[in-house]
């Protein structure tokens, strides 16, 4: 689309450090979808990333992967959207709910804020070791290098599709580092 990009995800997260805060300026970001709702691990959200970082984009809709699959560039008009967080993780949404959390951009307003660009963009994950993990990697596509599931979790399913229970599995490296992988039961 013929639209000028004048902001970045990193600048967005740096400017709006406490939330929820409504964006009042005519700002536009461009990002690539790096995670969508096709797997069932995300619900009514997309994870988008530009060269500076990533953020969760809340969209009140389902089957988002049909129009905005992994590898699609999107342009987001930020004016009147909200920045907030969920357990310390930045989110971009359409409104503030009664409990103070963000709600998604409503279905009737999606095209007012999100413009779809080129699709089929190859998204390369950044290879990272467990000891290198830090908040800058939140909502960005990474590949953990040199890891395996902990012995107690080896051979177990990563999600409980029968009972639809979310599960946590420990991933470890050979240096004693570990991180928990959390997966929705709908995945």
């Amino acid at each position: 689309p013929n639209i000028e990009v004048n902001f970045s995800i990193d600048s967005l997260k740096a400017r709006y450090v406490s939330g929820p805060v409504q964006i009042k300026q005519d700002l536009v970001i461009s990002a690539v979808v790096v995670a969508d709702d096709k797997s069932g691990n995300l619900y009514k959200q997309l994870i988008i990333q530009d060269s500076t970082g990533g953020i969760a984009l809340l969209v009140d809709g389902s089957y988002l992967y049909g129009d905005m699959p992994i590898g699609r560039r999107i342009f987001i008009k930020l004016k009147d959207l909200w920045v907030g967080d969920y357990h310390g993780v930045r989110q971009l949404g359409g409104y503030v709910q009664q409990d103070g959390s963000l709600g998604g951009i409503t279905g009737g307003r999606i095209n007012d804020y999100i413009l779809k660009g080129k699709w089929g963009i190859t998204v390369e994950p950044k290879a990272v070791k467990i000891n290198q993990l830090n908040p800058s990697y939140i909502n960005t596509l990474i590949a953990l290098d040199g890891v395996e599931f902990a012995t107690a979790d080896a051979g177990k399913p990563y999600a409980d599709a029968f009972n639809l229970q979310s599960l946590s599995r420990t991933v470890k490296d050979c240096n004693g580092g570990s991180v928990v992988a959390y997966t929705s039961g709908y995945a």
Side-chain angles (χ1 to χ4, degrees):
N2 185 19
I3 188 167
E4 181 182 340
V5 175
N6 59 9
F7 219 55
S8 69
I9 290 175
D10 188 51
S11 297
L12 178 67
K13 293 190 303 188
R15 182 180 288 186
Y16 301 98
V17 294
S18 64
V21 176
Q22 190 172 35
I23 301 165
K24 296 293 187 180
Q25 296 83 20
D26 286 315
L27 302 173
V28 177
I29 60 173
S30 169
V32 175
V33 176
V34 295
D36 61 26
D37 58 347
K38 186 174 184 176
S39 72
N41 208 33
L42 296 175
Y43 180 66
K44 294 187 177 188
Q45 64 178 296
L46 301 168
I47 305 302
I48 60 171
Q49 175 180 328
D50 66 11
S51 63
T52 68
I55 194 166
L57 174 62
L58 306 181
V59 182
D60 192 14
S62 53
Y63 305 105
L64 299 173
Y65 65 88
D67 280 335
M68 294 174 279
I70 292 172
R72 175 157 228 164
R73 178 165 305 283
I74 59 174
F75 300 81
I76 303 170
K77 298 177 189 177
L78 298 174
K79 186 173 183 177
D80 296 327
L81 293 179
W82 292 80
V83 178
D85 67 78
Y86 179 74
H87 295 284
V89 177
R90 285 278 177 260
Q91 297 181 321
L92 183 60
Y95 65 98
V96 178
Q97 300 182 90
Q98 286 184 337
D99 65 1
S101 65
L102 290 185
I105 300 170
T106 58
R109 302 292 313 267
I110 291 173
N111 293 330
D112 294 340
Y113 295 107
I114 302 173
L115 301 170
K116 294 172 231 127
K118 182 179 176 182
W119 58 276
I121 297 170
T122 301
V123 181
E124 294 293 334
K126 181 170 183 170
V128 178
K129 295 190 180 299
I130 288 177
N131 66 352
Q132 296 172 314
L133 290 175
N134 64 61
S136 71
Y137 292 116
I138 294 174
N139 285 327
T140 63
L141 187 62
I142 65 166
L144 285 176
D145 190 29
V147 299
E148 64 185 8
F149 284 101
T151 303
D153 290 335
K156 293 182 179 177
Y158 68 90
D160 181 354
F162 181 74
N163 295 310
L164 302 177
Q165 295 292 319
S166 299
L167 297 176
S168 296
R169 299 287 185 231
T170 301
V171 178
K172 65 180 186 97
D173 63 18
C174 293
N175 300 319
S178 66
V179 64
V180 173
Y182 178 80
T183 306
S184 167
Y186 292 89

